[in-house]
Amino acid sequence: MNEIAIYPENTSQKIKLYIGYWLGYILLFSLVQGLPTADFWRALYNECYSVFPKIIFVLLIVEVAMPKLFFRKRKALFIFVYLISILFFAFIQRLIDNYIIIAFNLTEWKSEPLFSAPVYLYNVIKLQFVVTVPLIIKLVYYIAEAKNKVQLIISEKLQAELFSLRNQFHPHFLFNVLNSLYSRILSKSDDSADIVLKVSDFLRYSVYEVNTKHIPLEKEIEYLKNYISLQQLRFDNRLELSFSTNGITENQVIEPFLILPFIENSFKYCLDDVSSKAWITISITFSEEWLIIKIENSLPQDFFEDKKAKNPYSGTGISNVKRRLELLYPERHVLNIKNEVESFFVSLKIKINDTN
């Protein structure tokens, strides 16, 4: 993702930005308070004495409260933390005013009570002023980053769809399906019409129904079933497959093409040209706001001894879906992949939307 120069995420650049900001702030207020009395240096000392609570306050609000609360749609809690913080640090400023600045630097001044309304309000206003610029810059950066993220999600989704379509319409796959259909038509098999219907539904979904951002989970699962049925035509009795679902309702929605790449890989790598038998187990369940997908497939004998053999989960399709998960479900998904001697196992948990 492209970074915005006005608020870089690079730590060293951010430190330089803050240093420049605080030096400018100290100089500005030293001039504002020191020039009218022709006592710039004493004003400069006063600002240096009182700058550290301001720095802590700004970092707390801009670097902690905004990312943890405001940007995560917990605005009420953010406002509460903001108000408590500004009142607390205004009190700290009052302590510095009375017991450091007036006691040692402005000895001719008379100290005011700690909770004197005018001077306490002045410290609140000064804290509000000092946090406004970093807060606005952070907010502008967040909005720009969110727009970039939306564009990146659209781009990644398009790449995923194109990649999936390329795999699904690969001549090897389609020729196997058509050859199986042809042989069944010749033998006047009763399932010929069902195969045609599955191919039709499969193509319709792939081309038209993935244009929406979210689709019903039930529809995605039906699409996966059609894909699995068509893939099974390639292997006849060589493949033992188990597919189960649980807890799926019509109210659940999901981004399309997130589960398919893992299933594609299980078919791609579970059988080779000489394997006599193979197996795939697929489980999709929904429990307590989490969609749980578990996929395990066998591997051909001596799979890892073949120098040409690739890791089934290191290709473009899997890298693409990992990236999409990071963009679409940040901090709302868990992906685990286990590389066993005789099998591969994938466990994917996604906290998905429910329209209820």
Side-chain angles (χ1 to χ4, degrees), residues 55-83:
I55 292 175
I56 296 173
F57 171 68
V58 170
L59 291 177
L60 175 65
I61 297 301
V62 175
E63 300 298 334
V64 178
M66 288 190 75
K68 300 292 184 182
L69 301 176
F70 188 82
F71 295 153
R72 296 187 180 181
K73 313 302 181 183
R74 301 166 69 183
K75 293 183 174 59
L77 184 56
F78 171 80
I79 293 173
F80 175 77
V81 170
Y82 184 89
L83 292 176

Side-chain angles (χ1 to χ4, degrees), residues 214-221 245-255 284-292 329 350-356:
H214 294 102
I215 60 171
L217 179 59
E218 285 184 328
K219 185 173 291 186
E220 177 80 352
I221 290 176
T245 61
N246 186 40
I248 309 301
T249 68
E250 62 183 8
N251 301 312
Q252 298 143 2
V253 294
I254 191 174
E255 288 277 341
I284 302 176
T285 61
F286 183 82
S287 176
E288 298 179 354
E289 299 184 331
W290 286 91
L291 178 67
I292 305 168
Y329 300 96
I350 309 174
K351 193 171 185 180
I352 66 172
N353 297 323
D354 194 311
T355 56
N356 268 344

